[in-house]
Amino acid sequence: MAKLEAANASPGAAATEKWSVRRLFSEWRELGIIAALIMTVLVFTAIDPEFLSSYNLVNIVLQASVTAILAMAVTFVIITGGIDLSIGTALALSAVVSGLLMSQGYPLPVVVLGTLATGALAGLFNGTIITLSGITPFVVTLGSMSIFSGLALIVSGGQTVYGIPPEFSDLLAGKIGPIPTPIVIAFVVLVVSSVVMRMTKLGEYLIALGGAREVARLAGIKVGFYTAIAYVISSSLAAVGAMVTVGRLGAADPALGADLLLPAIAAAVMGGADLNGGEGSMLGAVIGALLIATLQAGLTFLNVQAFYQQVAIGVVIILALLSNRLQKA
Amino acid sequence: MSASTAKPLLSLKGISKSFPGVKALQNVHLDLYPGEIHALMGENGAGKSTLLKVMFGAYSADEGAFELSGEPVSIRGPVDALHKGISMVHQELSLVPQLSAIQNIVLGWEKSVAGFIDWSAARREALAALARLDFQGNPHVPVSRLSVGQQQTVELARAIAANAKIIILDEPTASLSTKESEKLFSILRELRADGHALVYVSHRLAEVFDLADRATVLRDGQYVGTLLRGPDLNETSLVKMMVGRSLEDFAIQHEATLGAVALKVDGLARNGVFQNVSFEVRRGEIVGMAGMVGAGRTEVARCIAGADRIDAGSVSVNGKALSLSSPSDAVRAGIAFLTEDRKHQGLALRMSLAKNATLTRVPTRMGFINRTKQAADAKSALASVGARMPTTRLAGQLSGGNQQKVVLAKWLLSGCDIFIFDEPTRGIDVGAKAEIYALMRDLADKGAAILMISSDLPEVLRMSDRVLVMREGTLSGEVARAEATEERIIAFASGGNTWQS
Ligand SMILES: Nc1ncnc2c1ncn2[C@@H]1O[C@H](COP(=O)(O)OP(=O)(O)OP(=O)(O)O)[C@@H](O)[C@H]1O
Ligand SMILES: [Mg+2]
């Protein structure tokens, strides 16, 4: 009984506690994806040592920043046992709003608040419907994916929004010291998200209701409220990604979202998010995004055609998920 | 029962099994003879379920050998075990919740005619097995809509319908009432007479003396000994082998000092489930609630706890009527509800013990979780229910009884002062039971109001200041402590008596 279990905590009885690679991997879930990333970099470097040039590395991280932000966004939702298929188009909608506010000369605080509010409202829409209707998140966000995309086209009149004042581009796509701003923003999102997940009651509740919804409900946690919060966070982060995107492109394209969804979910899941809920890692999601960006950059670097690139990336994603599974078994 | 002369049906030799950080079994031997009921005893976490799962092929042993009728074999998995004539009733419910009782029993059905499964025959046999067990529920609705006790019955029916020579039962009576247990025992005796070998785990010692031909005791994953039915198989020797020391008798002497009415339930009803249930629980009082499986006790508790909607009547706390739209309303009013199904309703299995124990009240400091206090709170609450394991372990890695202790700890930390305990000692070993009884008494003495639903009649009699009895969705009787006897309670529970107070 308890004696046995207590005995195992004491150093003497540590026969089976001994260090092993297996144990390390199962305790530190991100290790697998980190290893995959390092291996990918090594393979490309072995093929062509030029790959590792610092310009290229910074560029990869820069490319990954928006995917990373979206991957963290969707991780918040996946942890609760849900899914957010609308983050891509929520980003597009926020981007269009952001672009319009910028091009019409509003000051920065208004632009930021307006964009975040757009994202938050999109998330509130998802969260409220999911909580009140009981329809599965997959279906609700499939619908809202289309709604947000339509709204983005309506608001922009179907046209890409140009005329972003250069000061916005400088601010959002410039550099802070030697580091490109999008990387700094993604890093801040990573730190804040990790702190929220690991150190606050909100994070603990999200994990609890993803892993054991009925248990959380019976423990008096307002599961509907916290579920909705997860979607609000998700779409708000998509709005953050929207500002970075608009800054980098110097324009807001209402059709932006479509290509962003799959890499974001793939990165989140490769990073350890369990689609059944209850588990997920912000750091893992970011590394997953880096892995995808590295593959894209490496294959482009090696002049692999775009069509083949897609196949290769798909294969790597499946391999990564497979090793995740083995790690958990 | 010529256990000494016959050849063992199944023999386990030198079985060892480790989980990360725990040696669950070390060099354990067990022989099973045809026509015997073999009790497997031990404290929570002693390794009983692990041994049974090794027998059933659900876990593979790290070391050790199997012999089936003298032939060395290996059991490659549950399907293989079923093929070899071994079936199992798990400690935690293992039915597919979306399927009906019949579908669950038929699942994995082996008999086929020219490659086609004869579904109608399968269904007939499933219904026959259910009928044999006096199953009261609807066999056609998803089992998730059945009570835990009824689900337990379905599990049993599945094991029986598989027609195995060896039937493994891991705490089959933990959520059955006396009457249903009796029914089960008579079936087990029939099976024994037919030459089946039965392995059986229970923390209710009386059952073991009643039923078992032999009892094997495990302690801390090691084989301690086997007692044959007879004068040697008695409470003192068994407890001593299990715990390693003698336990004092834990009869609880007390005079409850009753305070104000804390919980008042008036004319409560849920359509089609129970009607017109009214009672009060005072501070300082432990009110037992007895009844057969399916009488509606859990359903009443769920409504009081805000988990299900109430169709009529009211629930008041300290004289104030509550509006219960979700469990959070009940918890805020100070009502703690310890559910009987710990796996699906009590614990987040992939979270640590510390997080589970503090789920209702996460200690924070300046907006951040205070992990040090969280661990300390969990540790002390766990200690008070007799569990002393590291709070960083995951709930899913504990033995069933130790999981139950974590659920208890969670509600102790909730700050609630009205407790609804649904089968609080389900699966808990004799030693820890004593600690939990003392703790409940202590809670009551400190002014808590306790409603204790239990199918374990001796427990109801020992703990309750007053006993409510439910039958078929209504309160059928109320018995004061002084007049409470097993006979009276059973009479109310089964309809031999009508209301009197
Ligand atoms: N899946 C698992 N992962 C890690 N440890 C486990 C696992 N299952 C069981 N254990 C550990 O193995 C030991 C034996 O557990 P087991 O479930 O066999 O006990 P038990 O005798 O059945 O207890 P109970 O009476 O509480 O059901 C315990 O220390 C338990 O924590
Ligand atoms: Mg067990």
Side-chain angles (χ1 to χ4, degrees), chain A residues 79-81 197 201-217 219 221 223 277-279, chain B residues 347-351 355-356 359 362:
Chain A
I79 280 178
T80 68
M197 280 321 296
K201 209 147 116 173
L202 170 64
E204 198 125 318
Y205 283 178
L206 293 181
I207 294 172
L209 69 91
R213 196 175 193 79
E214 187 61 8
V215 175
R217 189 177 83 95
I221 296 173
V223 291
E279 242 170 76
Chain B
L347 290 173
L349 295 173
R350 284 184 296 172
M351 291 174 82
K355 290 178 183 176
N356 268 289
L359 194 59
V362 184

Side-chain angles (χ1 to χ4, degrees), chain A residues 1-6 8-9 15-17 23 195 198-201 204-205 207-208 211-212 214-215 217-222 274 277-279, chain B residues 21-23 43-44 220 243 307 327-328 331-332 339 344-348 350-351 355 359-360 368-369 371 374 388-390 393 398 402 410-411:
Chain A
M1 64 159 273
K3 269 182 275 133
L4 170 69
E5 286 154 333
N8 276 300
T16 51
E17 289 270 14
R23 205 176 144 77
V195 166
R198 284 161 187 257
M199 293 167 66
T200 69
K201 209 147 116 173
E204 198 125 318
Y205 283 178
I207 294 172
E214 187 61 8
V215 175
R217 189 177 83 95
L218 290 172
I221 296 173
K222 295 190 163 129
D274 182 342
E279 242 170 76
Chain B
V22 181
K23 283 185 182 166
E43 290 181 293
N44 294 135
D220 295 353
V243 190
S328 65
V331 172
R332 201 154 357 95
T339 53
H344 299 113
Q345 301 177 353
L347 290 173
R350 284 184 296 172
M351 291 174 82
K355 290 178 183 176
L359 194 59
T360 55
F368 295 106
I369 297 175
R371 296 283 178 203
Q374 185 177 44
R388 289 162 198 88
M389 45 259 180
R393 294 197 68 183
L398 296 188
N402 285 332
K410 172 172 79 177
W411 289 111

Side-chain angles (χ1 to χ4, degrees), chain B residues 48-50 91 170-171 201 399-401:
Chain B
K48 304 179 296 294
S49 298
T50 307
Q91 179 173 15
D170 197 354
E171 300 195 32
V201 175
S399 76

Side-chain angles (χ1 to χ4, degrees), chain B residues 78-366:
Chain B
V79 176
D80 192 34
L82 283 166
H83 268 297
K84 296 193 161 87
I86 304 173
S87 72
M88 174 158 181
V89 175
H90 290 272
Q91 179 173 15
E92 308 296 337
L93 298 168
S94 63
L95 301 173
V96 183
Q98 296 85 0
L99 299 183
S100 73
I102 295 182
Q103 286 167 324
N104 264 290
I105 295 171
V106 169
L107 205 68
W109 199 260
E110 294 297 332
K111 287 171 212 161
S112 56
V113 182
F116 291 97
I117 295 175
D118 182 353
W119 288 112
S120 62
R123 260 184 224 112
R124 259 198 316 279
E125 286 196 38
L127 281 170
L130 286 169
R132 190 167 174 191
L133 289 167
D134 248 354
F135 177 70
Q136 297 292 340
N138 183 340
H140 303 286
V141 300
V143 289
S144 59
R145 290 204 229 142
L146 302 177
S147 73
V148 170
Q150 287 170 334
Q151 293 186 37
Q152 188 78 41
T153 314
V154 176
E155 296 245 3
L156 277 170
R158 187 170 61 177
I160 290 173
N163 207 6
K165 280 309 274 181
I166 297 168
I167 302 178
I168 302 169
L169 303 127
D170 197 354
E171 300 195 32
T173 55
S175 45
L176 298 185
S177 70
T178 312
K179 192 126 188 226
E180 285 117 9
S181 301
E182 286 300 335
K183 182 79 203 164
L184 170 68
F185 296 156
S186 71
I187 289 162
L188 296 187
R189 290 197 180 95
E190 280 173 31
L191 290 168
R192 168 171 65 188
D194 290 348
H196 292 265
L198 304 150
V199 202
Y200 173 87
V201 175
S202 173
H203 289 292
R204 297 184 185 171
L205 297 183
E207 281 176 13
V208 173
F209 303 129
D210 207 26
L211 207 61
D213 302 305
R214 294 193 299 156
T216 290
V217 178
L218 297 181
R219 188 165 74 229
D220 295 353
Q222 283 169 330
Y223 176 84
V224 180
T226 302
L227 295 173
L228 268 175
R229 186 185 188 85
D232 281 350
L233 185 56
N234 59 48
E235 179 153 351
T236 326
S237 55
L238 205 52
V239 167
K240 191 149 186 214
M241 282 169 81
M242 282 164 54
V243 190
R245 65 194 149 85
S246 322
L247 284 180
E248 308 90 71
D249 194 22
F250 43 81
I252 290 166
Q253 298 296 337
H254 82 291
E255 274 307 313
T257 37
L258 299 191
V261 173
L263 176 70
K264 183 172 161 62
V265 174
D266 195 18
L268 207 64
R270 183 166 162 79
N271 293 343
V273 186
F274 62 84
Q275 315 84 40
N276 196 23
V277 171
S278 308
F279 61 87
E280 297 175 349
V281 185
R282 293 175 170 274
R283 298 204 172 275
E285 187 181 35
I286 299 178
V287 174
M289 194 179 239
M292 310 238 288
V293 168
R297 296 168 301 164
T298 295
E299 288 75 5
V300 169
R302 284 181 62 85
C303 283
I304 299 174
D308 290 335
R309 245 213 348 271
I310 298 169
D311 289 321
S314 68
V315 176
S316 337
V317 166
N318 301 330
K320 267 212 338 256
L322 301 182
S323 89
L324 291 170
S325 64
S326 77
S328 65
D329 296 328
V331 172
R332 201 154 357 95
I335 301 176
F337 173 42
L338 182 134
T339 53
E340 60 180 330
D341 179 352
R342 57 187 164 237
K343 194 170 149 197
H344 299 113
Q345 301 177 353
L347 290 173
L349 295 173
R350 284 184 296 172
M351 291 174 82
S352 71
L353 303 191
K355 290 178 183 176
N356 268 289
T358 56
L359 194 59
T360 55
R361 231 185 204 201
V362 184
T364 54
R365 193 173 43 197
M366 299 186 313

